[in-house]
């Protein structure tokens, strides 16, 4: 059977854990080479080792433009091309606006939104030269529905969806497709930290928060990293050939509620 990303080169940010690691694994199963780019260099090496020779670990902070440019240059030098960028690295911090330190707001916007701009900007010259490319932005249903205590995260993810649409329009003439994915609740380090912080900020037990999270989706369950990875495979592959500027929900139907 033909593999859907045979020989393609992908940079996946925040790929040492969670959703990013699942995306990098699936891409490599489908024949891609993946740069496992993460702020935790040791964890990136572990994740790359688990995949094997198709994976290359890189330590970077996605909010640092020099780091981002260095990572893209290293990927081009090693593989000669960049076909796919997955802007996946993210952080979640919970606070009511009235209590939120400015530094928290800025950190959440920096990692989730500004870094999406920095990484996209860095790969575009290679993609424009190749006259093809795929940019996959991991947003969130928090970019489509509001949530108390998650205003910074929600604003950032809303921004990611807006950025996706504008960039898609800018680069369509270069045959570069830009799409976003909006996951619902997925039990990863980020998801679990968000639920713990949410319980603390609201002053309720974690069990109460988890009961609410678990019953929020019409499908009545949490999602998995693999479900998000399958959508990220679709938008990076030739199966997705006439779709750009879209934001696909992988959310169990939460957005409809
Ligand atoms: P995760 O398990 O915490 O993985 C995120 C990875 O990004 C971690 O390895 C993290 O490293 C890394 N990272 C954080 N800051 C970084 C930086 N400045 N530079 C480079 N790497 C950085 O989280 P996840 O749940 O898989 O989240 C992946 C994406 O999905 C995020 O954009 C998130 O907003 C989105 N999302 C998640 C959910 C959910 O419920 N899990 C729902 C909707 C959307 P450290 O662990 O060392 O910080």
């Amino acid at each position: 059977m033909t593999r859907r990303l045979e020989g393609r080169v992908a940079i996946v940010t925040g790929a040492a854990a969670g959703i990013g690691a699942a995306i990098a694994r699936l891409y490599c199963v489908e024949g891609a080479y993946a740069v496992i780019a993460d702020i935790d260099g040791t964890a990136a090496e572990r994740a790359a080792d688990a995949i094997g020779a198709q994976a290359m670990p890189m330590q970077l902070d996605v909010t640092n433009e020099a780091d981002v440019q260095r990572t893209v240059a290293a990927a081009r030098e090693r593989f000669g091309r960049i076909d796919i960028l997955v802007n996946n690295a993210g952080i979640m911090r919970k606070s009511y606006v009235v209590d939120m330190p400015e530094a928290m707001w800025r950190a959440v916007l920096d990692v989730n939104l500004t870094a999406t701009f920095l990484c996209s900007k860095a790969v575009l010259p290679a993609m424009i030269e190749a006259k093809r490319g795929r940019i996959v932005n991991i947003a969130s249903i928090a970019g489509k529905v509001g949530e108390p205590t998650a205003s910074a995260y929600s604003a950032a993810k809303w921004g990611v969806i807006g950025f996706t649409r504008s960039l898609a329009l800018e680069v369509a003439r270069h045959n570069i497709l830009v799409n976003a994915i909006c996951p619902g609740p997925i039990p990863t380090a980020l998801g679990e930290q968000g639920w713990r912080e949410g319980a603390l900020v609201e002053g309720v037990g974690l069990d109460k928060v988890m009961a609410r999270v678990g019953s929020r989706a019409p499908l009545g369950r949490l999602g998995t990293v693999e479900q998000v990875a399958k959508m990220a495979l679709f938008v990076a592959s030739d199966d997705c050939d006439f779709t750009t500027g879209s934001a696909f929900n992988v959310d169990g139907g939460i957005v409809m509620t």
Side-chain angles (χ1 to χ4, degrees), residues 48-92:
D49 283 350
I51 291 174
Q54 281 165 260
M56 171 173 129
M58 284 289 297
Q59 195 277 332
L60 94 165
D61 178 349
V62 287
T63 67
N64 179 316
E65 188 163 19
D67 269 13
V68 169
Q69 293 287 350
R70 179 178 54 81
T71 300
V72 170
R76 279 188 91 171
E77 187 169 328
R78 165 94 177 260
F79 300 112
R81 52 196 281 182
I82 296 164
D83 301 291
I84 303 159
L85 166 68
V86 183
N87 283 308
N88 166 78
I91 59 169
M92 149 95 84

Side-chain angles (χ1 to χ4, degrees), residues 10-253:
I11 296 176
V12 185
T13 69
I19 293 169
I23 293 172
R25 276 197 304 273
L26 183 59
Y27 280 10
C28 290
V29 167
E30 292 288 343
Y33 299 95
V35 177
I36 311 291
D38 202 281
I39 198 160
D40 183 339
T42 311
E45 277 172 25
R46 267 200 310 273
D49 283 350
I51 291 174
Q54 281 165 260
M56 171 173 129
M58 284 289 297
Q59 195 277 332
L60 94 165
D61 178 349
V62 287
T63 67
N64 179 316
E65 188 163 19
D67 269 13
V68 169
Q69 293 287 350
R70 179 178 54 81
T71 300
V72 170
R76 279 188 91 171
E77 187 169 328
R78 165 94 177 260
F79 300 112
R81 52 196 281 182
I82 296 164
D83 301 291
I84 303 159
L85 166 68
V86 183
N87 283 308
N88 166 78
I91 59 169
M92 149 95 84
R93 299 286 181 267
K94 294 258 174 132
S95 171
Y96 290 115
V97 170
V98 71
D99 301 319
M100 191 184 298
E102 184 184 343
M104 180 187 283
W105 172 271
R106 289 193 185 280
V108 171
L109 268 286
D110 269 2
V111 180
N112 292 287
L113 179 57
T114 306
T116 297
F117 151 71
L118 289 176
C119 296
S120 302
K121 180 183 168 190
V123 299
L124 281 174
M127 292 184 177
I128 290 170
E129 197 183 311
K131 299 187 179 61
R132 61 173 293 147
R134 298 296 169 95
I135 296 180
V136 182
N137 296 326
I138 307 300
S140 169
I141 50 155
K144 292 188 173 179
V145 294
E147 190 188 327
T149 76
S151 58
Y153 186 73
S154 192
K157 296 302 192 182
W158 224 285
V160 168
I161 294 172
F163 177 75
T164 300
R165 290 186 184 165
S166 293
L167 181 61
L169 287 169
E170 271 185 35
V171 298
R173 68 199 161 97
H174 300 294
N175 191 30
I176 300 168
L177 278 54
V178 189
N179 288 291
I181 299 176
C182 300
I186 317 272
T188 60
L190 176 147
E192 284 162 10
Q193 185 200 341
W195 299 326
R196 273 196 310 273
E197 273 186 26
L200 271 177
V201 170
E202 288 177 48
V204 299
L206 183 58
D207 51 338
K208 191 167 172 200
V209 169
M210 292 316 297
R212 196 172 64 207
V213 171
S215 62
R216 196 171 164 206
L219 288 180
R221 49 191 153 91
L222 302 180
T224 67
V225 294
E226 288 80 14
Q227 289 160 345
V228 182
K230 285 181 200 168
M231 184 63 85
L233 172 61
F234 169 69
V235 288
S237 75
D238 293 341
D239 291 340
C240 174
D241 193 34
F242 199 52
T243 302
T244 193
S246 289
F248 294 96
N249 305 327
V250 183
D251 70 334

